[in-house]
């Protein structure tokens, strides 16, 4: 009988040990990260979503000439559906694969968006609770409307949790992909529009040798241009929603309560929301979520005083010296301490809110670990990516807090529901302006 060599057996044992070692390491590594998930909407409705491609023949394209001579926008209408109890695993970002394969899309932005989980977004690993083209809920007869404007260079899909939560409580949300600023967007014809700094008009860029004052004036002029375009986008979208509501062939025919329309925006979108309200009285409530550009989050020269109630939510303190080197430079140039700068800003807030006929709420968030992007899905997505469990719990808490504040205000302003949540506590300081205060 031929003697069997021991070498294959030894090799098999070594391979098995190595495989077990790799498996254990993989399991250990996976325990430090988790697949990011959107939190479950807290309301009783399901969530539906449909996209529209709308062209404004009365406005020229702004930094989007590749789409033609006139302004063109992708709008996603999110709306209440009948709750079925079944799990919905919808697409988080429509056209993510097309965007990923398109030349010119900023790699640095892709690396940062969605908490650094761009590959998962493209692969469909992170899902939405929205069912595309699902039937709208049968009751009530109409739903109040909210228009949503995201932060600079961002997409409204970074705020899916906040939008879904509003919809689950009986709001229709028209989320705007601002073509002039969104990092990339896929239109219904399948073509991808990409943001490019090369399209910025030359007159918006300070010339070489400009003084500090000239530079700041040019920069503010450019910011104001962006906000003007966004505010016009908001009013145009409202025009189209009115048409949609009147269209007997539309799934939304007579389902929009256009007497109760609000606008919500984060960062530059928040600033734009205030400007839109100053110019368009059809908007009945305005929310600015941490949109303060050099104290311009509430002010806007030559624009009418807003007649709507205003909610301004701010991460406190508004200026955090030491976060960036520029903070100290700004303070030095203004000959102010950080406390003096914040005091000056609060004086502006008091003056502006006092001038608003309907007043509103100024909310300073003081809760632990809250930051500028706590209004979006970015922070808790990032925590999941790096397995930061405590940070993830804190991020979800802060996200829910910001959602509750905004929804409570809208419930009061658009649904005439008495609110009991907007009062001082350990997580926020609130000033209520207006009649009777």
């Amino acid at each position: 009988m031929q003697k069997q060599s021991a070498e294959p057996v030894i090799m098999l044992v070594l391979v098995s040990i190595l495989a077990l070692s790799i498996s254990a390491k993989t399991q250990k590594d996976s325990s430090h990260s988790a697949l990011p998930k959107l939190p479950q909407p807290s309301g009783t409705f399901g969530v539906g979503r449909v996209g529209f491609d709308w062209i404004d023949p009365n406005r020229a394209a702004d930094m989007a000439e590749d789409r033609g001579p006139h302004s063109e926008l992708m709008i996603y209408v999110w709306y209440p559906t009948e709750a079925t109890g079944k799990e919905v695993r919808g697409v988080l970002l429509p056209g993510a694969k097309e965007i990923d394969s398109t030349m010119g899309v900023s790699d640095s932005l892709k690396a940062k968006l969605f908490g650094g989980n761009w590959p998962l977004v493209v692969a469909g690993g992170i899902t939405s609770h929205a069912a595309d083209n699902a039937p709208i809920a049968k009751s009530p007869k109409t739903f109040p409307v909210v228009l949503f404007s995201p932060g600079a260079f961002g997409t409204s899909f970074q705020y899916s949790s906040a939008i879904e939560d509003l919809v689950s409580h009986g709001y229709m949300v028209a989320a705007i992909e601002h073509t002039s600023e969104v990092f990339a967007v896929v239109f219904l014809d399948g073509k991808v529009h990409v943001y490019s700094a090369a399209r910025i008009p030359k007159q918006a860029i300070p010339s070489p040798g400009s003084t500090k004052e000239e530079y700041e004036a040019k920069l503010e002029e450019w910011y104001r241009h962006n906000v003007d375009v966004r505010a016009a986008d908001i009013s145009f979208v409202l025009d189209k929603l009115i048409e949609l509501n009147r269209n007997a062939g539309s799934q939304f025919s007579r389902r929009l309560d256009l007497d109760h329309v609000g606008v919500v925006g984060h960062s530059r979108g928040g600033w734009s929301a205030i400007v839109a309200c100053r110019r368009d009285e059809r908007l009945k409530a305005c929310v600015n979520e941490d949109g303060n550009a050099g104290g311009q989050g509430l002010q806007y020269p030559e624009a009418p005083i807003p007649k709507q109630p205003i909610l301004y939510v701010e991460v406190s303190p508004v200026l955090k010296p030491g976060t960036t080197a520029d903070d100290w430079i700004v303070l030095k140039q203004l000959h102010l301490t950080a406390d003096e700068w914040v005091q000056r800003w609060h004086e502006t807030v008091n003056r502006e809110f006092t001038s608003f006929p309907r007043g509103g709420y100024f909310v300073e968030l003081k809760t632990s670990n809250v930051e500028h992007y706590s209004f979006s899905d970015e922070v808790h997505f990032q925590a999941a990516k790096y397995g930061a469990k405590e940070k993830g719990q804190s991020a979800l808490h802060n996200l829910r807090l910001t959602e509750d504040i905004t929804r409570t205000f809208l419930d009061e302003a658009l649904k005439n529901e008495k609110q009991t949540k907007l009062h001082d506590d350990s997580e926020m300081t609130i000033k209520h302006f207006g009649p009777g205060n």
Side-chain angles (χ1 to χ4, degrees), residues 232-308:
D233 287 348
I234 291 168
S235 289
F236 167 67
V237 170
L238 182 51
D239 291 339
K240 297 300 289 185
L241 291 175
I242 292 171
E243 290 182 14
L244 203 62
N245 199 48
R246 290 173 178 168
N247 183 354
S250 164
Q251 69 186 103
F252 302 122
S253 178
R254 302 180 183 276
R255 301 304 308 275
L256 286 72
D257 181 357
L258 295 170
D259 290 326
H260 297 92
V261 180
V263 56
V264 176
H266 172 242
S267 195
R268 189 174 293 170
W271 185 11
S272 304
I274 299 294
V275 174
C277 279
R278 287 179 178 272
R279 295 175 175 172
D280 195 334
E281 294 186 11
R282 297 174 301 176
L283 300 167
K284 304 303 181 185
C286 315
V287 180
N288 180 339
E289 297 177 331
D290 211 34
N292 176 36
Q296 300 300 320
L298 294 172
Q299 299 172 305
Y300 206 81
E302 300 178 4
I305 293 175
K307 296 181 175 62
Q308 308 90 333

Side-chain angles (χ1 to χ4, degrees), residues 308-323:
Q308 308 90 333
I310 305 290
L311 170 66
Y312 185 94
V313 189
E314 178 175 272
V315 173
S316 181
V318 63
L319 183 68
K320 300 180 178 65
T323 303

Side-chain angles (χ1 to χ4, degrees), residues 97-105 110 192-194:
K97 290 182 179 179
E98 290 82 354
I99 291 172
D100 190 58
S101 62
T102 298
M103 295 290 292
V105 180
K110 287 194 293 187
V192 180
H193 166 77
V194 177

